[in-house]
Amino acid sequence: MNSVVKSPKDSKLSMSYLTVGFIAVFIGAICGLLQGLVRGGVIELPSFINYYQLLTAHGVLLALVFTTYFIYGLLFAGVSKTMGALSDKARSIGWIGFWVMTIGTICSTIMIILGEASVLYTFYAPLKAHPLYYIGLALVVVGSWIGGAAMLMHYSGWRKKNSGKLSPLFGYMTTATIILWIVCTIGVAISVLFQFIPWSFGWADRINVLLSRTLFWYFGHPLVYFWLLPAYIIWYVCIPKIIGGKVFSDSLARLSFVLFILFSIPVGFHHQLTESGIPEGWKFLQVVLTFMVITPSLMTAFSLFATFETTGREKGARGLFGWLKKLPYNDVRFFAPFMGMLFFIPGGAGGIVNASHQMNTVIHNTLWVVGHFHITVGTPVVLTFFGVTYWLVPYLTGRKLTPALNRAGMIQTILWSVGMFFMSTAMHILGLFGAPRRTAYSTYQDNPTALEWFHGFFAHYTTVALGGTILFIAAMMMVYLFFHLAFFAPKAENDIEATEFPIGEVAEHAYTTPRILENWKVWIGIVVVLILIAYTIPVTDMITHAPAGSPPIRTW
Amino acid sequence: MHFHRYEKYWLIFGLCTLVVFLTIVGVNAFSGGHQPPTGMMTLDPTKVDQTPPFDQPGLKKVDDNTYEANLIAMAFGYNPSKIEVPVGAKVIFNVTSKDVVHSFTIPGTNVNMMITPGHVNTSEFSFDKPGSYLVLCNEYCGSGHHMMQMTIEVK
C-alpha cells in the first residue's frame, strides 16, 4: 500500500482534519436549511430552538470550522506530497494543533447548543456570550497557529536540505497562506484574549466596542483570503495537471500570492464604512488599499484562462474560442472548481460594489451581503474544496474515484450550482430592496415595504428557501460521498489504479523565478509597514478618545 | 520578471480602470460630499437618557425646512417609535444606542448606518414624497431583532 500512499502517517493526519470538517458541514447545512425555511415563512421553529442560535451555528461551523479544517487537511497533504513526508516532530505538532482546535470547536459548539452564545460568528460586543464560547474560539485560533507552525517547519526544513533550489509551488503557496493567517489572526486573538475573555468573566466592567470591531475586521477580511488562497493553490497548481496542461508561469503565480498578502490585510475598514468614530479619510485610504487586490485577482484570472487556452490549442482546438470545447467538463475534479470560477465573476464584481466607499451604504448589512458571501466563499471556494475532496480523499485512503462516483459528484456539483443560483440571486435582489440580513421571518407588522419582499419571483424570500433546500440536498450528498470515498470506495490495487494528487508542471517557455519572491522577510516587512500606515493613527485615536465602554448585555 | 505581452495589456487596462474608478469615488466623496455616515460625537452609553440631545428624543426644527431627529436605538425598538415630517423637509438623523449595536436603516433610501454604543451616527435625507417610511434594524441585536422598527410619516 505504501507505493500508493506516500506517507500513511501524514495521510492519517490530513484525513482527521477533513473528517471534522465534513462533520461540521453536516450540522451547519442542517442549520442553513432551517434558516432558509423559516425566513421564507415555510416553517416555524419549535420553541426550544432560537433562529439566531441556528444562525450562530451555521456561521461558526461552516465559515470558521469547515474551512479551517479542510484547508489544513489539504495543505498538510500537499506539503507532504511535494516536499516529502513530515518529520516526526512536525507531524506531532500537526496533531497537537488538531486536538487544540478540536477541543476549542467542541467547547464553542456546546455553548451554542446550550443557547449561551447566540451572538453569531462575529460576536460583536457588547452582546455577551458565555466565556467558554470565546475560549473555544481562541483555542481554534491557537490550534491553527500550532498546526501552521508544523507546516512552516516542514517548509524551512526543505529549504535547508535543498539550499539554492526553488521551493515547490505548492509549498511556497502554503507558506504564503499560513503567513497571511498568522498575521491576521493576531488581531482577533488580541481582542478575544485582552477584551472579550476578561470582560465576559466580569474581571473588566466595560469593553471598547469600536476597538473590538476594528480588531475583528482587521482579521475578518484577510480571513476571506485565507479561504480563497487554498482554492487558488488548486487553480494554479492542480487544475493545469487535471486538464492535461502546464502551469502558465511560476513566477507570476508566486507574485500574485505575495500581493494577496500585502493587500488583504490593511483593509478592514471597508467592513466598517457606515460606522461612526472612524474619520472618512482613513476609511477612504483603506478603500484604495482594498482595490489594489484587484491586481493579483486579474493576474489569477489571466493565468487560468491562459492555461485553459494553451491546453485547448495543444489538443487541436481552432478559432478564437475553440479551446473552450476541449476542457474536461465531465471530470468532476475539473467541473466543480470550474463552476466555482464562473460564480466568482459576479462575486468579484459585487465585492467592488461593497468596498466602494459611499456605494456601500446602499447594501450595507442587507441580504445582498449574504448573497455575496455565498457566491464567493460559498461557491468558488466551497466547490473547489468539494472538487478536491473527490480526488484527495481516495488519494489519502488508497481508494479509487470510480466513474459512478464521478457521476455522483457531477450531480452534486450541478445541484449546488443550481441551488446557489436561486438563493444568491434572490438574496442580492432582496438586498437591493433593503431586506436586512441576519434577521428571522418578519413582515414588520405587515408593513407594505416588507411585504414586497414576498412578491415577484427573484425578489422573494421563498426563492431563498427553495435555493437553500436544493443546496441542503447537495451538501448531504457531499457528506455522504466524503464518507463513501473514505471508507467504502474500491481500493486501488496498484500504482496505475491509484488516485493521483495532481501537481502541475511549469510550462517550458516560462521564465526563471526571481529569488526575492522567496524572501519572506521582505514581504512580511512590507505588510507590517502597510498595516502600520493604515491603522496606527485611527486605532490610537480609538483608544485615547474612547467614550465610556459598554457593560456586558444579553439580549436573547 | 517576465510578463506575457497580452498579460501586460490586460493588467494595464485593469489598472487604468482602477485609477478612473477610484478617482470618481474619491472626487464624489471629498468634493461632492457623498461620504458614508461617520458621526464623530461620543457619549457614555449607560447615560444616554441624561445626555443632551437624547434626554429629549424626537424631532426638532432647526430652520425653515431643516429638522433634526435625535433618536435612541435599543433592544428592540427606537425612541420615539414614530415621527412626523413635512413633505420636502431635510431631516438630519442623530442616532445612538442605549445597549448593543444596532442599525438605523430606511429601505428605499440611502439612509443606512451602524449605531454603535458610545457613539452618535449621523445621516441626512430629504423626504420629497409623502407616505409612511419603514425604519428597521439590520444588525443582529438579540432575540427580538426582527421586530425592531419605527415609522416616519411624511405628510
Side-chain angles (χ1 to χ4, degrees):
Chain A
M1 241 28 237
N2 276 6
S3 58
V4 178
V5 177
K6 230 179 153 192
S7 161
K9 286 181 178 170
D10 291 354
S11 299
K12 201 178 156 202
L13 176 62
S14 279
M15 278 306 291
S16 303
Y17 276 105
L18 296 178
T19 306
V20 177
F22 279 97
I23 294 171
V25 172
F26 179 73
I27 307 171
I30 294 173
C31 299
L33 172 72
L34 293 174
Q35 284 158 234
L37 294 176
V38 169
R39 186 108 198 215
V42 182
I43 60 163
E44 275 178 49
L45 290 174
S47 59
F48 59 89
I49 305 176
N50 179 312
Y51 177 85
Y52 301 104
Q53 190 180 4
L54 289 176
L55 190 53
T56 307
H58 181 74
V60 169
L61 291 172
L62 294 184
L64 300 179
V65 175
F66 166 62
T67 50
T68 310
Y69 276 87
F70 188 91
I71 288 166
Y72 272 51
L74 166 64
L75 297 184
F76 269 114
V79 295
S80 169
K81 162 84 186 169
T82 57
M83 299 191 295
L86 297 174
S87 68
D88 287 342
K89 193 175 157 201
R91 192 182 312 109
S92 310
I93 296 175
W95 277 110
I96 296 170
F98 171 80
W99 285 111
V100 172
M101 269 170 74
T102 306
I103 292 166
T105 302
I106 293 171
C107 186
S108 296
T109 308
I110 290 174
M111 288 303 119
I112 299 169
I113 293 170
L114 292 177
E116 292 292 328
S118 299
V119 294
L120 311 192
Y121 84 101
T122 45
F123 53 90
Y124 290 143
L127 287 170
K128 190 199 79 95
H130 194 284
L132 282 176
Y133 177 71
Y134 303 115
I135 291 172
L137 292 181
L139 288 175
V140 172
V141 169
V142 171
S144 74
W145 287 348
I146 298 171
M151 285 187 256
L152 293 182
M153 267 175 66
H154 190 51
Y155 169 79
S156 79
W158 188 94
R159 286 189 67 192
K160 272 190 201 122
K161 263 185 269 169
N162 299 274
S163 67
K165 277 199 226 163
L166 187 68
S167 63
L169 191 52
F170 197 107
Y172 177 90
M173 291 175 153
T174 297
T175 306
T177 308
I178 301 295
I179 289 175
L180 169 90
W181 179 243
I182 292 173
V183 175
C184 80
T185 43
I186 290 171
V188 74
I190 290 174
S191 177
V192 168
L193 290 179
F194 297 106
Q195 292 195 286
F196 281 94
I197 292 177
W199 170 78
S200 63
F201 272 114
W203 305 332
D205 296 334
R206 296 193 182 203
I207 192 166
N208 182 334
V209 172
L210 184 58
L211 182 65
S212 74
R213 293 169 63 81
T214 302
L215 287 169
F216 183 87
W217 284 114
Y218 162 87
F219 150 80
H221 194 71
L223 170 66
V224 312
Y225 282 91
F226 170 69
W227 300 327
L228 201 53
L229 290 188
Y232 281 178
I233 296 178
I234 302 305
W235 296 3
Y236 270 115
V237 181
C238 304
I239 296 281
K241 174 79 176 183
I242 291 171
I243 65 170
K246 297 267 168 72
V247 177
F248 177 68
S249 162
D250 179 89
S251 49
L252 292 177
R254 288 176 203 245
L255 176 65
S256 77
F257 265 57
V258 162
L259 294 176
F260 279 122
I261 297 185
L262 299 188
F263 295 117
S264 64
I265 302 176
V267 300
F269 283 168
H270 77 244
H271 290 258
Q272 300 174 280
L273 283 172
T274 70
E275 199 156 317
S276 41
I278 305 166
E280 289 108 340
W282 291 106
K283 287 180 178 172
F284 189 72
L285 173 75
Q286 294 207 7
V287 164
V288 173
L289 286 170
T290 306
F291 278 100
M292 293 304 150
V293 98
I294 288 175
T295 316
S297 307
L298 289 176
M299 286 168 62
T300 303
F302 186 91
S303 173
L304 283 174
F305 283 90
T307 302
F308 294 165
E309 181 172 345
T310 317
T311 311
R313 289 195 190 281
E314 272 167 16
K315 288 181 181 170
R318 285 157 185 275
L320 203 50
F321 293 110
W323 48 273
L324 276 171
K325 290 185 199 141
K326 298 282 180 185
L327 295 170
Y329 297 109
N330 49 8
D331 180 347
V332 71
R333 300 174 308 156
F334 169 76
F335 182 66
F338 180 75
M339 289 310 290
M341 292 173 198
L342 294 186
F343 271 94
F344 209 31
I345 298 169
I352 294 176
V353 173
N354 302 346
S356 294
H357 205 59
Q358 58 280 88
M359 228 191 299
N360 174 272
T361 305
V362 178
I363 51 82
H364 192 90
N365 272 1
T366 66
L367 211 50
W368 163 287
V369 177
V370 188
H372 172 73
F373 203 93
H374 282 84
I375 59 167
T376 46
V377 172
T379 314
V381 171
V382 166
L383 274 183
T384 301
F385 289 179
F386 288 175
V388 166
T389 305
Y390 292 112
W391 53 259
L392 181 61
V393 174
Y395 163 80
L396 291 170
T397 56
R399 293 174 191 274
K400 289 190 289 186
L401 173 65
T402 60
L405 284 167
N406 182 65
R407 269 197 302 280
M410 295 290 293
I411 295 168
Q412 188 270 333
T413 305
I414 292 167
L415 282 176
W416 189 273
S417 307
V418 170
M420 195 57 87
F421 172 75
F422 283 113
M423 190 177 86
S424 67
T425 310
M427 283 174 164
H428 275 89
I429 295 174
L430 283 164
L432 286 178
F433 290 149
R437 73 166 179 175
R438 296 177 163 183
T439 302
Y441 174 80
S442 179
T443 59
Y444 293 96
Q445 301 175 351
D446 291 337
N447 186 288
T449 307
L451 287 176
E452 266 180 37
W453 303 329
F454 293 89
H455 289 295
F457 181 70
F458 271 118
H460 198 312
Y461 278 135
T462 313
T463 308
V464 174
L466 170 75
T469 308
I470 301 172
L471 281 167
F472 171 75
I473 296 167
M476 289 302 117
M477 255 185 100
M478 187 66 235
V479 173
Y480 169 77
L481 286 170
F482 169 77
F483 285 103
H484 188 87
L485 285 163
F487 300 109
F488 307 111
K491 287 260 182 189
E493 300 298 340
N494 52 47
D495 281 6
I496 300 154
E497 278 187 9
T499 307
E500 70 164 342
F501 190 125
I503 297 287
E505 289 167 34
V506 176
E508 293 94 16
H509 64 78
Y511 291 74
T512 47
T513 304
R515 283 304 145 112
I516 189 156
L517 287 172
E518 197 122 19
N519 190 342
W520 295 108
K521 281 180 202 138
V522 171
W523 305 113
I524 295 173
I526 297 175
V527 77
V528 169
V529 169
L530 284 174
I531 291 166
L532 291 177
I533 291 172
Y535 275 111
T536 310
I537 296 174
V539 167
T540 311
D541 219 41
M542 271 171 213
I543 297 168
T544 51
H545 292 98
S550 288
I553 298 169
R554 177 171 169 152
T555 51
W556 72 92
Chain B
M1 194 171 310
H2 177 80
F3 282 83
H4 190 281
R5 186 155 48 99
Y6 290 151
E7 179 156 19
K8 273 184 203 154
Y9 297 158
W10 168 249
L11 287 179
I12 290 169
F13 169 76
L15 289 176
C16 290
T17 324
L18 190 61
V19 170
V20 172
F21 185 83
L22 283 173
T23 310
I24 295 172
V25 171
V27 168
N28 239 307
F30 292 94
S31 45
H34 296 289
Q35 290 284 10
T38 302
M40 293 304 286
M41 195 186 136
T42 58
L43 74 178
D44 184 335
T46 58
K47 299 197 176 88
V48 171
D49 292 333
Q50 296 97 288
T51 312
F54 302 101
D55 51 345
Q56 288 171 316
L59 198 71
K60 234 170 64 183
K61 193 165 182 167
V62 180
D63 63 38
D64 265 3
N65 205 27
T66 312
Y67 294 80
E68 218 176 64
N70 301 309
L71 308 168
I72 303 169
M74 62 202 150
F76 303 102
Y78 300 88
N79 182 17
S81 63
K82 192 174 185 177
I83 54 172
E84 270 194 33
V85 179
V87 183
K90 183 171 102 178
V91 183
I92 301 161
F93 295 99
N94 299 315
V95 191
T96 192
S97 166
K98 265 171 85 159
D99 42 48
V100 297
V101 179
H102 300 281
S103 95
F104 183 84
T105 303
I106 313 175
T109 73
N110 284 340
V111 180
N112 182 14
M113 56 182 171
M114 303 299 302
I115 310 300
T116 42
H119 297 263
V120 179
N121 214 350
T122 301
S123 194
E124 56 176 66
F125 189 73
S126 296
F127 291 91
D128 296 328
K129 280 186 202 152
S132 171
Y133 289 75
L134 170 69
V135 178
L136 57 80
C137 171
N138 68 16
E139 182 57 274
Y140 169 64
C141 57
S143 54
H145 163 57
H146 50 286
M147 314 300 240
M148 184 163 166
Q149 69 182 93
M150 70 172 277
T151 30
I152 300 171
E153 294 291 345
V154 179
K155 284 180 180 166

